Amino acid sequence: MRVLFVCLGNICRSPTAEGVFRRRLEARGLSHRVEVDSCGIASWHQGKAPDPRAVEAAAQRGFDLSTLRARQLNAEDFQAFDFLLAMDHDNLSAMREQAPEGMSAHMGLFLEFAGLPDKAVPDPYYGGEEGFEEVLDLVERAAEGLVEEIASRREACR
Ligand code: 4NP
């Protein structure tokens, strides 16, 4: 199972989702079953570490984002991943425009897994510290839901 988190710059929301989701998988003993990555629609921050505000806010909750590096969404991603999960509606539209016909992967909004259909993770880049706390609150909830979804699929396959 392969999961890709997608936002605009890949320096705030999707690396936060990647770091939080990895930890939740570890806690559930599912790390070896699931590959996780994140990327951005835009190439602006390619190769860069996450925004220091995102790294700091995540570290306060015990998540290490410091080793992650930004990259842009590419054509292979649509074949390589089973779940491509966007942080907001713009990310999802951009992803859908680039997606090849007939692909079988699930493309949707990440917060579906928090029981919040149609809700976006707000872009915190131009705001204050509180925006990064809100990102973490939402991402932690959705990560929990996604881990449960994956765990229940595993049960069903036994
Ligand atoms: P992200 O946030 O999509 O959550 O990584 C942003 C990062 C950078 C920019 C916009 C959003 N930017 O305009 O550079």
Side-chain angles (χ1 to χ4, degrees), residues 63-132:
F63 305 107
D64 181 16
L65 310 185
S66 65
T67 60
L68 303 179
R69 294 296 176 266
R71 73 170 181 87
Q72 189 175 25
L73 177 70
N74 65 57
E76 286 88 68
D77 288 327
F78 294 100
Q79 314 301 337
F81 290 90
D82 304 293
F83 287 90
L84 291 94
L85 301 176
M87 297 299 130
D88 67 32
H89 298 81
D90 288 344
N91 311 151
L92 183 57
S93 304
M95 202 158 81
R96 287 204 166 123
E97 274 172 26
Q98 294 177 42
E101 295 269 316
M103 56 171 285
S104 57
H106 171 90
M107 284 191 291
L109 291 171
F110 182 37
L111 293 187
E112 278 172 33
F113 293 96
L116 299 169
D118 218 39
K119 185 169 163 61
V121 181
D123 184 347
Y125 188 66
Y126 292 106
E129 309 289 329
E130 69 287 350
F132 289 84

Side-chain angles (χ1 to χ4, degrees), residues 7-15 44-45 123-126:
C7 65
L8 180 57
N10 194 209
I11 55 168
C12 299
R13 292 165 294 174
S14 62
W44 312 317
H45 300 284
D123 184 347
Y125 188 66
Y126 292 106

